[in-house]
Amino acid sequence: MAMGLRRLVGGVGMEKHGEEGQTAFEIGVVVPKRVQEQEEGEDNDCLEVLVNEFKKAGLIVDTVVGLHDEFIKLAAPLEVLGRAAVELQLKKRTHIGVDLQFEWDDIDAFIRQPDGSLFSWCERFHCYRHIINGIVNKSYSVIILRSNCKEIYWEPGEPLIRKLESEVIVKEVFPLHDEEKRKQLLRSWALNWRGFTNQPIDKVYSYFGTKIAIYFAFLGMYTKWMLFPAAFGLILQLVDFGSLQLLVLPMFFISIISWAVLFLQFWKRKNSALLARWQISSSVGADSGHKFLEMEWSSFQSPVELIKKWGTDKTKLKEVFQREEWFGRLTRIRNDAVIILSIICLQLPFELAYAHLYEVIQSDLVKFGLTAAYLFAIQYFTKIGGKISVKLVKYENNENTEYRADSLIYKVFGLYFMQSYIGLFYHALLHRNFETLRKVLIQRLIISEVLENLMENSLPYLKYSYRKYKAVRSKRKREKGSSTGRIQLIPRVEKDYLKPAYSASIGEELEDGLFDDFLELALQFGMIMMFACAFPLAFVFAALNNVTEIRADALKLLTMYRRPIPRSAATIGAWLNIFQFLIVMSICTNCALLVCLYDQEGNWNISPGLAAILIMEHVLLLIKFGFSRFVPEEPAWVRANRMKNASQAQDMCSKQLLRSISGEKFFDGSEKNE
């Protein structure tokens, strides 16, 4: 009698990923342990059938018995992935710089990844998903599967994985960490403090995919650029300029606005350079260009469906497209209006009431209790707002998952924007209490960020420890009274499974954990920029926090979470527009702060100083838009390579077309001569 599945290995020595025939196990399938009474080799045992179907599909299979569950580890040889890529009609970059549909017979025409592999992690993951979901009942009759004395009816044409998931036989399918690559990244990235902001971005891209690599590239560049305003702010804090202070502060303000605009422009250039290095088209999102991801349309039909429905009547088709286009835009406007009105009517009074009470209360103990109650209430409000935003986004006709995620980000950021800054505006502009403003900024930048870092790094570990404790305890309860008293170690695959998923605080439907990481950066950027003139030292605190954030986030992804599901979005998406919005807001708020600082009497009459500040505001807005035009978003070498590739592709297509035409003419002429 066997208590678990037999160890079925489709290959020997398959523990290392590469292109030389050796493959790493990258996907794990969690199934419940079989009861002791179930006989090994029972006819149509569903787990045995599942393993055999995986092997028939060409996958390399290894089964591991854990403390509480059993795990099927899957790997795929290059040829199997190649066949799946062909079926998915996957587009890949060729040596002439053009993305063409992948063909296995023309494998040498396609460019390989920075680590030497043919397919990126994102492409491999979707190929795995296609292979697994492609296992169906190809017979014409129902197959009866058995699991723990339970019969399961596998209908003809029904996917096996979905059937077993509905019967809770397959608990979860998740990506596995590659231990060798993970340890290399730990040494060269997460635990390497000598590099300061330097990171092995190419290796991060190969292991985690485009979206996470883009985030860390942005965080590293942001931290490196932060050194200039941090040094300037430290000088303002330590040096007494005396009567020149009124001149130095506007200079600091102009400098940081110019710095922020240039940073975002040069980030766009770096983003373009990274995509060119990774041979990724900037227009490729998580869904575009790939057939393997389904387009979900709520109130909007796909163009192909509309063409099939209305035929070739151009007039009717044009009217239908225009109607659907404007209906989608009006739906988005309606949803945005719902969120904005909710923020103004519900959240704004709540935030102003808290800020006013904090201002008038004298007791520090009462202030502490008020803050605790506020934080508890705001977390509840934000969670409700996030759920409402997710529901509203579902009814929008966004083109793909990344567009839906961007729409969700805009809506939820509005909630966090009001939550994070309305109290600061209240202290700065209405009460002009700069001492309270600086205290709140210090609390937000030091205490809040330290607590957030502790929470985001400790909570995953506590969740993992608790789940591991439950697994061990459940194992001991089952074996209580057993004659065998040996202790079974937790296998690596079960440790990966017990770790929490890298998910967003607003839910897992459209966003992963990058939402919270980007949100933290955006709120920090807005805080240090919009109140820069009141507290220049804030840039120092932000720089120190970001230096540790790089390594902490890397360590979190490598050790505390499961390997995230890859996303192939090529940019930081909506967050770039949010950063640009915060720059415009900072121009307005800092000009108002300068007026408050210079006008101590509060009569708003400091002519010609007020006029000078208003002129400076307009000049800075011109600088913001001027630098956006002055600094090109794409490096010259990237643009030149793209034009060269397009020219080469056009020449090759033209030559092929000419050969085809000339061959037809020769054939027609030879027939006429005969």
Side-chain angles (χ1 to χ4, degrees), residues 512-542:
D512 56 15
L514 283 178
F515 171 84
D516 298 285
D517 292 330
F518 269 119
L519 176 66
E520 184 180 348
L521 286 183
L523 294 178
Q524 180 201 81
F525 182 81
M527 205 165 295
I528 62 178
M529 288 294 298
M530 288 195 291
F531 306 98
C533 292
F535 191 45
L537 197 63
F539 288 91
V540 178
F541 295 131

Side-chain angles (χ1 to χ4, degrees), residues 336 338-348 350-351 374 378-390 392 408-422 506 515 519 523 578:
D336 294 340
V338 169
I339 295 296
I340 292 172
L341 289 175
S342 300
I343 291 173
I344 294 174
C345 298
L346 299 177
Q347 191 175 7
L348 179 59
F350 176 77
E351 298 289 345
Y374 164 78
I378 204 64
Q379 291 294 327
Y380 184 71
F381 288 160
T382 305
K383 186 178 293 186
I384 293 177
K387 290 181 178 179
I388 294 174
S389 299
V390 170
L392 290 175
L408 177 64
I409 288 170
Y410 289 131
K411 292 174 175 60
V412 178
F413 181 77
L415 303 174
Y416 280 96
F417 180 86
M418 189 66 66
Q419 169 191 336
S420 301
Y421 302 127
I422 193 64
I506 58 173
F515 171 84
L519 176 66
L523 294 178
I578 288 174

Side-chain angles (χ1 to χ4, degrees), residues 206-467:
S206 298
Y207 190 72
F208 287 114
T210 311
K211 189 72 173 180
I212 289 179
I214 289 292
Y215 163 74
F216 279 102
F218 179 83
L219 177 58
M221 182 176 174
Y222 175 52
T223 306
K224 186 179 293 184
W225 276 62
M226 186 73 72
L227 296 180
F228 166 71
F232 202 161
L234 188 61
I235 291 172
L236 282 178
Q237 187 71 24
L238 298 178
V239 179
D240 184 10
F241 290 95
S243 59
L244 295 177
Q245 185 74 19
L246 298 180
L247 181 62
V248 173
L249 206 55
M251 289 178 59
F252 173 71
F253 173 39
I254 295 172
S255 299
I256 63 165
I257 293 297
S258 303
W259 164 83
V261 174
L262 288 174
F263 161 67
L264 289 182
Q265 287 301 115
F266 277 94
W267 161 248
K268 294 176 186 177
R269 291 172 60 85
K270 182 171 183 177
N271 197 169
S272 299
L274 287 173
L275 297 181
R277 194 164 77 203
W278 298 334
Q279 304 296 332
I280 298 175
S281 173
S282 59
S283 62
V284 173
D287 300 292
S288 57
H290 299 283
K291 185 180 177 181
F292 50 75
L293 289 178
E294 297 178 357
M295 304 273 286
E296 296 178 0
W297 304 84
S298 53
S299 59
F300 183 69
Q301 291 178 297
S302 67
V304 176
E305 292 174 352
L306 290 175
I307 292 173
K308 288 180 178 179
K309 182 177 180 180
W310 295 99
T312 58
D313 189 338
K314 293 184 178 180
T315 304
K316 288 185 177 180
L317 198 59
K318 181 179 178 181
E319 292 176 356
V320 171
F321 271 111
Q322 288 180 343
R323 184 169 62 250
E324 295 291 345
E325 177 188 8
W326 286 106
F327 178 78
R329 290 183 180 274
L330 291 175
T331 302
R332 286 196 293 271
I333 292 173
R334 181 204 65 188
N335 293 344
D336 294 340
V338 169
I339 295 296
I340 292 172
L341 289 175
S342 300
I343 291 173
I344 294 174
C345 298
L346 299 177
Q347 191 175 7
L348 179 59
F350 176 77
E351 298 289 345
L352 289 176
Y354 165 71
H356 177 72
L357 290 174
Y358 191 89
E359 186 75 31
V360 299
I361 291 175
Q362 301 296 327
S363 172
D364 291 337
L365 183 61
V366 177
K367 283 185 177 181
F368 178 80
L370 177 66
T371 303
Y374 164 78
L375 292 176
F376 176 79
I378 204 64
Q379 291 294 327
Y380 184 71
F381 288 160
T382 305
K383 186 178 293 186
I384 293 177
K387 290 181 178 179
I388 294 174
S389 299
V390 170
K391 290 183 178 180
L392 290 175
V393 169
K394 287 182 178 179
Y395 294 99
E396 297 178 0
N397 62 335
N398 296 292
E399 296 179 12
N400 54 45
T401 303
E402 287 303 321
Y403 283 125
R404 290 196 292 274
D406 287 348
S407 180
L408 177 64
I409 288 170
Y410 289 131
K411 292 174 175 60
V412 178
F413 181 77
L415 303 174
Y416 280 96
F417 180 86
M418 189 66 66
Q419 169 191 336
S420 301
Y421 302 127
I422 193 64
L424 299 175
F425 292 149
Y426 182 84
H427 296 307
L429 303 179
L430 187 60
H431 282 276
R432 299 192 180 191
N433 191 337
F434 290 94
E435 183 178 355
T436 303
L437 174 62
R438 292 187 182 99
K439 287 181 180 178
V440 175
L441 286 172
I442 291 174
Q443 289 175 2
R444 296 282 182 91
L445 289 170
I446 298 179
I447 300 175
S448 297
E449 290 194 349
V450 169
L451 288 177
E452 285 178 3
N453 284 331
L454 288 175
M455 292 293 288
E456 71 180 19
N457 287 283
S458 60
L459 280 180
Y461 177 76
L462 292 175
K463 289 179 180 178
Y464 165 68
S465 300
Y466 177 70
R467 294 182 70 180

Side-chain angles (χ1 to χ4, degrees), residues 62-333:
D62 183 17
T63 62
V64 177
V65 179
L67 296 181
H68 190 265
D69 298 296
E70 295 188 26
F71 302 88
I72 305 173
K73 298 194 298 182
L74 303 176
L78 181 61
E79 185 176 354
V80 175
L81 293 176
R83 290 201 306 267
V86 172
E87 294 173 1
L88 288 167
Q89 299 181 10
L90 178 69
K91 288 187 176 180
K92 287 186 61 62
R93 182 64 56 89
T94 59
H95 288 285
I96 62 172
V98 180
D99 293 341
L100 295 177
Q101 189 171 312
F102 181 78
E103 294 291 343
W104 177 252
D105 295 335
D106 301 318
I107 187 173
D108 293 333
F110 298 94
I111 294 178
R112 291 180 175 263
Q113 301 297 311
D115 62 349
S117 58
L118 179 63
F119 297 105
S120 67
W121 164 229
C122 184
E123 292 167 342
R124 294 199 306 274
F125 178 79
H126 288 293
C127 286
Y128 275 112
R129 192 168 68 176
H130 174 74
I131 295 169
I132 292 172
N133 291 333
I135 299 175
V136 298
N137 182 0
K138 297 180 180 179
S139 66
Y140 295 99
S141 59
V142 176
I143 298 177
I144 301 176
L145 306 178
R146 294 177 175 82
S147 174
N148 292 338
C149 303
K150 178 182 178 181
E151 290 188 349
I152 300 167
Y153 297 93
W154 187 17
E155 301 290 339
E158 184 178 17
L160 179 58
I161 282 289
R162 293 182 184 177
K163 181 65 178 180
L164 295 183
E165 284 177 339
S166 65
E167 298 289 341
V168 201
I169 302 301
V170 170
K171 293 184 177 181
E172 196 167 352
V173 180
F174 66 101
L176 294 175
H177 276 291
D178 184 333
E179 279 305 298
E180 183 175 341
K181 290 185 178 181
R182 190 184 70 87
K183 290 178 181 178
Q184 289 177 357
L185 283 173
L186 276 173
R187 291 191 298 266
S188 62
W189 181 34
L191 302 178
N192 181 20
W193 289 87
R194 296 179 182 177
F196 189 53
T197 60
N198 295 327
Q199 304 172 84
I201 293 298
D202 288 339
K203 293 182 179 179
V204 177
Y205 161 72
S206 298
Y207 190 72
F208 287 114
T210 311
K211 189 72 173 180
I212 289 179
I214 289 292
Y215 163 74
F216 279 102
F218 179 83
L219 177 58
M221 182 176 174
Y222 175 52
T223 306
K224 186 179 293 184
W225 276 62
M226 186 73 72
L227 296 180
F228 166 71
F232 202 161
L234 188 61
I235 291 172
L236 282 178
Q237 187 71 24
L238 298 178
V239 179
D240 184 10
F241 290 95
S243 59
L244 295 177
Q245 185 74 19
L246 298 180
L247 181 62
V248 173
L249 206 55
M251 289 178 59
F252 173 71
F253 173 39
I254 295 172
S255 299
I256 63 165
I257 293 297
S258 303
W259 164 83
V261 174
L262 288 174
F263 161 67
L264 289 182
Q265 287 301 115
F266 277 94
W267 161 248
K268 294 176 186 177
R269 291 172 60 85
K270 182 171 183 177
N271 197 169
S272 299
L274 287 173
L275 297 181
R277 194 164 77 203
W278 298 334
Q279 304 296 332
I280 298 175
S281 173
S282 59
S283 62
V284 173
D287 300 292
S288 57
H290 299 283
K291 185 180 177 181
F292 50 75
L293 289 178
E294 297 178 357
M295 304 273 286
E296 296 178 0
W297 304 84
S298 53
S299 59
F300 183 69
Q301 291 178 297
S302 67
V304 176
E305 292 174 352
L306 290 175
I307 292 173
K308 288 180 178 179
K309 182 177 180 180
W310 295 99
T312 58
D313 189 338
K314 293 184 178 180
T315 304
K316 288 185 177 180
L317 198 59
K318 181 179 178 181
E319 292 176 356
V320 171
F321 271 111
Q322 288 180 343
R323 184 169 62 250
E324 295 291 345
E325 177 188 8
W326 286 106
F327 178 78
R329 290 183 180 274
L330 291 175
T331 302
R332 286 196 293 271
I333 292 173

